[in-house]
Amino acid sequence: MGKYLSEKGSGGTLTSHQTFLKTFTYGIWREYSAMAHGGFEGLMGSAAFYMRDMQEHEFRPKMDEAYPRLMSLHIMRAAAILLCIVTELQGYFRFDGANINARIHKIWNALMPAFEVKELYDERYAQLMSSKGIKP
């Protein structure tokens, strides 16, 4: 993936897909790769939850408060990735029925307050949805 993202096409520029994939590779999404591989960067945010019984008793209520926020963040990111996939599929296949275009817009709008989602939308999906006729 790193090699693909660094190779410039004709004209000495990156393709739109390369630019978009850099968001996943070098952005906040890199954390998931580190988590999946047990890397230091990936475990920094979640390691304390794995060893809760080793934490000081005074610190444990703070962990209990932080856990729902951490899980909400991960659920939001998973929803964003699934929405990206659905939007790409709709842009390619242009399915009819079930009011799918309006539903896609509704979910984008619901997730838009999250920085990561807005970044994805602004970088790729606003233009993709417009050019492929995905209108509410």
Side-chain angles (χ1 to χ4, degrees):
M1 177 78 100
K3 184 176 181 194
Y4 172 72
L5 293 177
S6 64
E7 289 181 359
K8 298 195 184 224
S10 60
T13 59
L14 298 175
T15 67
S16 62
H17 288 106
Q18 287 172 307
T19 303
F20 175 70
L21 287 173
K22 279 189 171 192
T23 301
F24 285 106
T25 306
Y26 300 122
I28 191 73
W29 308 99
R30 182 179 184 181
E31 176 184 348
Y32 289 107
S33 176
M35 289 172 88
H37 293 92
F40 174 77
E41 301 89 5
L43 295 175
M44 270 304 280
S46 60
F49 295 102
Y50 295 123
M51 44 188 226
R52 185 180 188 278
D53 59 335
M54 298 174 69
Q55 302 295 330
E56 297 177 15
H57 288 282
E58 298 79 29
F59 185 65
R60 291 179 188 180
K62 292 179 183 176
M63 289 178 58
D64 293 340
E65 292 173 19
Y67 185 75
R69 285 191 304 273
L70 179 71
M71 290 308 298
S72 296
L73 176 68
H74 293 304
I75 290 170
M76 179 275 303
R77 289 176 177 171
I81 291 171
L82 290 172
L83 182 58
C84 290
I85 293 168
V86 167
T87 305
E88 294 282 350
L89 289 171
Q90 179 62 5
Y92 186 81
F93 291 108
R94 299 177 189 213
F95 295 112
D96 287 336
N99 208 12
I100 190 167
N101 290 344
R103 293 169 126 183
I104 288 172
H105 278 277
K106 185 177 180 180
I107 302 300
W108 275 112
N109 290 335
L111 293 175
M112 200 66 71
F115 172 78
E116 292 96 342
V117 175
K118 182 156 178 34
E119 181 181 32
L120 292 171
Y121 182 80
D122 290 344
E123 189 172 311
R124 175 157 175 82
Y125 292 99
Q127 191 276 329
L128 176 79
M129 290 166 58
S130 176
S131 69
K132 297 292 185 174
I134 303 174
K135 297 178 178 156

